[in-house]
């Protein structure tokens, strides 16, 4: 929505210079009337809206691989590593619960049922890729140019695009909209943090994460804990202070109580100190119980970060980005 509002202001500004609706801008002074950096929900909506007014529009979208090497296609967080895959995985968990409940309603289903992560992952990822393709087709239909380039400003009207191969392209535009969203952050002050994954990775894992510890109590953390528990995985959540900071705490604890009732373990008032990789490939997490001041440890197959990061030497918290952008 912010990107759309910015484009509306640009359009009104252009109108004051005699660039009426349906008239191409500035007689070739710039290559494009509008350049959008970012191919997520805001960038795509902004670019398609501008194209309806006969503007020459280009969208740059480039996904920097996560520290674990995960990358994806056009559509932004919601499509690739947010709402869409999350809801599909929650649906998988709900189907498992329905199968178990079905026995009480006359369905003769042998129990226990077993969930295959790989099958689910292939289905989810195939659906996401179909949405990536759909967004490309929509841009073509609207005559919006798409370039898989990382954009860097050279001046107010010039952007240098760089491809995966390092090839550079110069693009100029009368108006430029930044719609890049945000990316997950790893804590810089915890040794071994790089051994963990983020929500950028969880939706693109080909193999089951196995026994998983989610560090953090944001809505991202609790949503992921919900579907991991729902598909039968041993799942734990580590909470440093309170769950769902910024939300009503009575409601927040209803969520954590519900998770706990379905088998999610919650480590209250605990903060990670260090992560070590063991000889058997598992990850040993060492943390401090902030109430008892005692160090504790346990091994996991996967550790997922879902935290706000400490900056400035750890002296204060900055809410710069939860591990999945808000849709």
């Amino acid at each position: 929505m912010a990107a759309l509002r910015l484009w509306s202001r640009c359009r009104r500004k252009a109108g004051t210079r005699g660039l009426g609706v349906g008239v191409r801008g500035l007689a070739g002074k710039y290559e494009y009337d509008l350049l959008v950096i970012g191919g997520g929900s805001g960038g795509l909506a902004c670019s398609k809206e501008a194209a309806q007014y006969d503007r020459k529009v280009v969208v740059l979208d480039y996904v920097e691989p996560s520290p674990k090497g995960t990358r994806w296609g056009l559509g932004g967080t919601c499509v690739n590593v947010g709402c869409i895959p999350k809801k599909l995985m929650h649906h998988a968990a709900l189907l498992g619960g329905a199968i178990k409940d079905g026995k009480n309603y006359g369905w003769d289903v042998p129990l226990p049922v077993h969930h295959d992560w790989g099958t689910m992952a292939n289905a989810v990822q195939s659906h996401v890729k179909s949405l990536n393709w759909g967004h490309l087709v929509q841009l073509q239909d609207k005559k919006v140019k798409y370039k898989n380039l990382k954009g860097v400003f050279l001046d107010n009207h010039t952007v240098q695009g760089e491809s995966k191969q390092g090839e550079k392209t110069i693009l100029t535009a009368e108006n430029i909209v930044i719609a890049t969203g945000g990316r997950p952050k790893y804590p810089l002050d915890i040794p071994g943090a790089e051994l963990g994954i983020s929500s950028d990775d969880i939706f693109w894992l080909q193999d089951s994460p196995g026994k998983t510890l989610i560090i953090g109590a944001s809505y991202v953390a609790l949503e992921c804990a919900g579907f991991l528990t729902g598909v039968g995985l041993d799942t734990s959540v580590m909470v440093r202070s309170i769950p769902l900071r910024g939300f009503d705490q009575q409601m927040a604890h209803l969520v954590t109580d519900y998770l706990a009732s379905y088998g999610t373990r919650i480590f209250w008032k605990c903060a990670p100190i260090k992560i070590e990789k063991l000889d058997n490939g598992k990850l040993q997490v060492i943390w401090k119980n902030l109430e008892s001041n005692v160090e504790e440890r346990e091994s996991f197959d996967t550790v997922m970060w879902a935290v706000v990061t400490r900056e400035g030497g750890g002296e204060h918290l900055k809410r710069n980005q939860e591990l999945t952008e808000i849709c």
Side-chain angles (χ1 to χ4, degrees), residues 126-137:
S126 294
H127 180 70
V128 169
K129 289 173 183 176
S130 74
L131 297 179
N132 298 148
W133 176 253
H135 282 300
L136 283 171
V137 171

Side-chain angles (χ1 to χ4, degrees), residues 267-279:
F267 302 150
W268 292 104
K269 304 295 182 183
C270 293
I273 298 173
K274 181 168 60 173
I275 301 176
E276 301 172 332
K277 190 165 187 177
L278 302 177
D279 292 340

Side-chain angles (χ1 to χ4, degrees), residues 14-90:
T16 64
R17 293 193 298 265
L19 303 180
V21 174
V23 179
R24 188 53 55 82
L26 291 192
K29 181 178 179 181
Y30 300 106
E31 186 179 2
Y32 296 97
D33 296 312
L34 177 67
L35 184 152
V36 179
I37 303 176
S41 303
L44 292 176
C46 173
S47 63
K48 288 184 285 187
E49 180 74 12
Q52 291 186 40
Y53 292 94
D54 196 32
R55 298 299 190 240
K56 188 177 181 182
V57 184
V58 62
V59 173
L60 306 188
D61 186 66
Y62 179 86
V63 177
E64 194 75 54
S66 75
K68 294 298 181 182
T70 305
R71 60 167 64 243
W72 53 85
L74 184 65
T77 293
C78 192
V79 168
N80 294 282
V81 289
C83 303
I84 302 301
K86 174 198 70 183
K87 288 175 182 176
L88 292 173
M89 290 186 174
H90 269 289

Side-chain angles (χ1 to χ4, degrees), residues 237-277:
V237 175
M238 184 173 291
V239 186
R240 181 182 60 86
S241 55
I242 60 174
L244 298 174
R245 183 178 298 279
F247 289 74
D248 177 88
Q249 282 301 293
Q250 182 181 12
M251 298 300 296
H253 281 280
L254 286 176
V255 173
T256 53
D257 289 347
Y258 185 81
L259 284 170
S261 72
Y262 273 81
T264 304
R265 293 191 301 160
I266 300 180
F267 302 150
W268 292 104
K269 304 295 182 183
C270 293
I273 298 173
K274 181 168 60 173
I275 301 176
E276 301 172 332
K277 190 165 187 177

